[in-house]
Amino acid sequence: PRLFDGRLSSWISLASSIATATCNRVLVNLAAKKGLVLEDIIVAHFDCRAGVFPSTVEAESLLLWRASDCNVNSASDAIKFSDAPMEVRQLNTIQKLIYLQGRGGLPLQ
């Protein structure tokens, strides 16, 4: 029998979980080589997607947009996990970065 009845979405989900597990194992090993122990909260997460694009240019455009979007999300995440007041969460990305910089939160780790 074919694994997952040949469903692409199942394969993609499996690929994401394998990438996540591998990355987390490598992180722990790298930390151990430096004599460090990672906190339990430090765990990589991956989101795996599949798509069909009419051209390579359109596929590359999506990747570039996602990379840019990750930069926006990282500033928001840094604010969310800090002790920032609720009104700071409503600021735009530049304002969030200025807030973080003023409190020694840059560069983002």
Side-chain angles (χ1 to χ4, degrees):
R2 295 185 321 172
L3 288 175
F4 307 117
D5 293 325
R7 289 190 311 261
L8 180 61
S9 61
S10 296
W11 280 106
I12 292 168
S13 177
L14 180 63
S16 179
S17 68
I18 290 170
T20 302
T22 301
C23 183
N24 285 317
R25 187 175 302 120
V26 168
L27 279 173
V28 169
N29 289 337
L30 286 172
K33 286 180 184 178
K34 294 184 177 198
L36 303 171
V37 177
L38 297 178
E39 297 177 33
D40 288 339
I41 195 169
I42 300 176
V43 180
H45 299 78
F46 292 100
D47 182 5
C48 193
R49 311 251 172 110
V52 178
F53 301 92
S55 70
T56 303
V57 170
E58 289 192 33
E60 289 172 349
S61 293
L62 177 66
L63 291 174
L64 291 172
W65 174 81
R66 285 296 299 143
S68 173
D69 191 49
C70 287
N71 286 328
V72 171
N73 291 343
S74 63
S76 293
D77 285 347
I79 293 294
K80 183 171 36 174
F81 295 113
S82 74
D83 59 353
M86 201 54 133
E87 60 267 13
V88 173
R89 294 182 186 199
Q90 306 304 317
L91 299 175
N92 67 39
T93 302
I94 298 298
Q95 292 168 323
K96 288 176 184 176
L97 290 171
I98 291 169
Y99 176 88
L100 290 166
Q101 184 177 31
R103 285 154 186 79
L106 293 181
L108 295 172
Q109 300 292 321

